[in-house]
């Protein structure tokens, strides 16, 4: 095994890796995740018996805002100028599916920004539903695909 | 169904709920989560063949720092003065188990702070391992127990 | 004239004034403001011809989040633990009326937090409508009333 | 009416619009606003009877710093690398006139940054004068002109 | 040697130490530091030949604002509600002496807040003078005294 | 004396200077500093008698994260997209030597980012050692060299 984490130097010290030799190119990343909760919570979010409120909008906006602050949260991430962020929420039977798509034209990829958007949208949903369902859990937060940069398109393989 | 989300008023508008009538009391929350990755990544994190580096420390610190910024990330969370935060990481076979314990003496609970610490520690691990394992996923981010406040101790029931 | 700004010492230097001698008490502040725009924009915000979107929710949430960050923005404001924030938006003929109510139990008042919530909700509305109405303006951002603290209730006098 | 807000997609969901197809170009925006207060406050700010203190400097600096944080405050704003910010304050009879000029070389305009600088400079003035004049109000926060980008120069029309 | 850092647990892992057992009490800390530069720079700061500008005000305000953000910068610091911050700058022959005094009524001391105010005021002075004196250095950033809390008054001993 | 600070306009008002006419070029800055403490503290940091803990990693990460937030802390600094940050810590006899190297491809230099990384790494070390050595001081925080930009390479002259 000769691989090593690029975020650590040869002595093991953390560093923000040097991307100054890379060209700024268009890059996109898509990440997804799921909040598992109850059918009752999903009905409340859908507004089945009540006026549909700001809950989903709050989670979408929290995800978008968090994407912009990724480099403040994840210590070794580069600050990037994002050119677009969208967060989609789909209500299932007893879960909410979250998807985030982030774009940049910069020297490194935006998968951490997409993952951060999904995580914080998930945390915000958890916050809103916790009085009704304290057992909600956030699962399967992961990168689905990446485009652009030197390595080109990467799509998550089936079965992982 | 007469339940409604406390974060929304009767018209459905988002609000930060009023906790001014509550007493400041000692409160604790424990949250957990798992980063699923590969045995190869776990060996690198453990420093089996290389000097053990800063990777786990970076994730622990990122989690602690994120707990302090929960109310900036989750729109309807109250700003709280945290009296302790700890983040524990345990290496498994092909996963890293994350646990966060947060304490406060304030008017509302700290489960969102514990969940945020777990999520951001997980994102930081993801960031560090992604060059070796782009398929890592963050799973089962959830509250395990809460103590203090009017409702006292809550322990996650088995089977959810 | 013997008055002087409390935020400046006798030499004129800025300082954060000492509130350590004050008791924490329940305090509330209400601030208001108006975004003047066009009837066309108000119709779009109301969703008269389209599905009603997240625009008002986005402004409400931006205002709530900004209230929590007042002490980062206004240099001499004390960091306060807010116990509730609400932002109300009312559509008029060619304007949106903004109102923010903030509560704390702390050593100083929350009128700056209420004013900051109104201002940032107004900026967010401006951002959303600017492609349709670049001439929108934010007006009459001011404190309407304050309760609590040593000075008790203050209500904005008529005619100012 | 077929117009729609660019910050909302066809279902009404908030998003940060995609500017990746735009070219980075030099852009400038000028915004203004007014803090209405009393002649007594203006005399104190001018230092007529006292050493002139840091009050105006504090407001200028708060405005400049806020411009840099616009994308943290206004949910759907893009993070931009600002190449210059200036905030000018002019004392009138019973008001302070605020003007902010912001420049960038980026993919989208900086009017929100200029408006944010004006608003936060206004909030900071309000904070400093509120012990002497609790009735101060912030008015006429608006864009005066924009240069650069695909749409070129825009100047606020007379009468709005 | 049996001492150990309180910020590390028995396995060496970083944590935010638990202060929930401590009582909130009035606490004060004073820190100082020096920016060494040239006599020419000091003359410019004093406004000997030019209108005295905002340079010292900018540094004072930067120091005050940084004190409020200490817990965001120093990973294991507790978020504290500060009840007063002042930053004093004294021009010497070829140096600027910085002093910061911070107060709280909370569960832990504010020496890190005072040190952070001094450091960031020093960085801000460095930023402003660097075009004239790129060799400026920040020295002797240290705690001078602490009052309050269980350990009471501590005064820096002579000779260190 | 005709020099003036570039951060002040002709009336002395603070401003963020206009760099829009400059070309983005590769730039590097190196800054250093020293935390003076005791031999006992250095032994604890080295892990001579105990498991070597996260203390140095915590300081490294705090320095890296602070570099990214320089423009939020130092009022007139431009927001820059950093392409690499590294913080090195070397244990001496009774001191820790800190060095930070920062790179960008942007319109202005990164010496403030390097100085901020050193300062905050120093503050973090101070925080961790203060229970054992309350007298620690941070000294000689200064720029060692700069490369790139119009002025090319600058190396700190001997004797200052």
């Amino acid at each position: 095994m000769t691989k090593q984490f690029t975020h650590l130097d040869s002595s093991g010290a953390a560093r923000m890796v040097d991307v100054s030799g890379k060209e700024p190119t268009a890059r996109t990343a898509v990440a997804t995740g799921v909040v598992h909760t109850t059918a009752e919570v999903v009905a409340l979010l859908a507004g089945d018996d009540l006026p549909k409120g700001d809950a989903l909008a709050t989670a979408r906006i929290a995800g978008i805002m968090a994407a912009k602050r990724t480099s403040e949260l994840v210590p070794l991430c580069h600050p990037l100028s994002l050119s677009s962020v969208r967060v989609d929420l789909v209500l299932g039977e007893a879960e909410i599916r979250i998807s985030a798509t982030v774009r940049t034209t910069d020297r490194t990829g935006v998968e951490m920004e997409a993952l951060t958007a999904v995580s914080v949208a998930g945390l915000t949903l958890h916050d809103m539903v916790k009085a009704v369902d304290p057992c909600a859990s956030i699962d399967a937060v992961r990168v689905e695909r990446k485009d652009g940069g030197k390595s080109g398109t990467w799509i998550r393989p089936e079965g992982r």
Side-chain angles (χ1 to χ4, degrees), chain A:
Chain A
M1 190 187 309
T2 55
K3 277 185 187 168
Q4 199 179 349
F5 297 131
T6 51
H7 289 61
L8 306 181
D9 69 14
S10 58
S11 72
R15 61 177 174 185
M16 190 199 290
V17 293
D18 193 353
V19 297
S20 60
K22 293 170 146 191
E23 283 303 303
T25 60
R27 295 158 189 270
T28 305
V30 180
T32 55
V34 186
V35 175
H36 286 107
T37 177
T38 64
E40 181 191 20
V41 159
V42 170
L44 282 169
L45 289 170
D48 287 359
D49 293 295
L50 286 164
K52 183 179 168 181
D54 289 351
L56 297 182
T58 304
R60 266 193 294 270
I61 292 160
I64 292 169
M65 293 179 86
K68 295 191 267 186
R69 304 186 74 178
T70 302
S71 71
E72 291 181 32
L73 294 172
V74 182
L76 305 177
C77 272
H78 295 81
L80 295 178
S81 76
L82 308 183
S83 44
S84 107
V85 183
R86 59 176 301 148
V87 173
D88 293 299
L89 303 174
V90 176
L91 298 178
E93 206 171 320
E95 74 277 342
I96 307 110
R97 302 199 165 272
I98 309 169
S99 169
T101 305
V102 181
R103 288 197 180 163
T104 192
T105 301
D106 216 318
R107 290 183 170 77
T108 184
V110 282
E111 59 265 55
M112 291 314 304
E113 281 73 11
L115 289 164
T116 300
V118 168
S119 292
V120 174
L123 289 168
T124 301
L125 288 168
H126 200 298
D127 182 42
M128 278 182 294
V129 311
K130 71 181 193 290
V132 180
D133 176 20
C135 294
S137 78
I138 309 172
D139 292 287
V141 176
R142 58 195 205 183
V143 183
E144 296 296 342
R145 70 176 289 162
K146 289 177 49 179
D147 296 282
K150 207 176 60 182
S151 48
T153 295
W154 177 90
I155 295 175
R156 185 181 190 81
E158 296 271 340
R160 269 214 65 191

